[in-house]
Amino acid sequence: MIKLPVNIHTEYIKQKRLKLYYPVIYGLSNKEAERKINYEIRSAVQQLLMTQGFYENPLTEITGHFKLKTNEKGVLSLTIINYAYSGGAHGLTLMNL
């Protein structure tokens, strides 16, 4: 049996100091699995924001996106990438696989 790719919709959050694209999975026959995958994605995004000091430092600006690594044969792999700038010479990029 060939497993079809997972459906992915891109959500976008734009607010002061934050421009963020993240994936939302939909259309799975197993709705509980779909809910858990989306929960884990949102948790990973929130963890990166906390690690980069978005909530603690009012100067921190974050731009985030994701890269789809694979979506075939029942395997979904993506990377969540955030770039944070809080002033100074360089920003900080973090990824969550």
Side-chain angles (χ1 to χ4, degrees):
M1 171 193 232
I2 296 174
K3 294 187 178 185
L4 298 175
V6 174
N7 295 310
I8 301 173
H9 170 77
T10 301
E11 290 286 326
Y12 179 58
I13 298 173
K14 183 178 179 182
Q15 61 188 47
K16 186 176 182 182
R17 303 183 304 117
L18 181 64
K19 294 178 185 171
L20 183 67
Y21 292 90
Y22 68 95
V24 175
I25 306 308
Y26 70 95
L28 294 182
S29 58
N30 184 334
K31 294 301 178 190
E32 182 61 19
E34 179 178 297
R35 185 191 67 73
K36 286 181 179 180
I37 292 168
N38 284 321
Y39 174 82
E40 291 299 325
I41 291 170
R42 285 190 305 274
S43 293
V45 169
Q46 285 298 320
Q47 183 61 47
L48 285 176
L49 291 175
M50 290 188 315
T51 300
Q52 291 176 299
F54 179 74
Y55 300 109
E56 291 82 27
N57 185 346
L59 298 177
T60 301
E61 297 179 11
I62 293 184
T63 303
H65 65 281
F66 69 96
K67 289 186 180 179
L68 184 63
K69 299 298 185 178
T70 190
N71 184 11
E72 60 185 359
K73 299 179 184 177
V75 176
L76 174 66
S77 176
L78 51 88
T79 303
I80 299 169
I81 304 160
N82 279 7
Y83 172 78
Y85 181 74
S86 300
H90 304 285
L92 173 66
T93 300
L94 291 182
M95 296 190 310
N96 192 336
L97 306 173

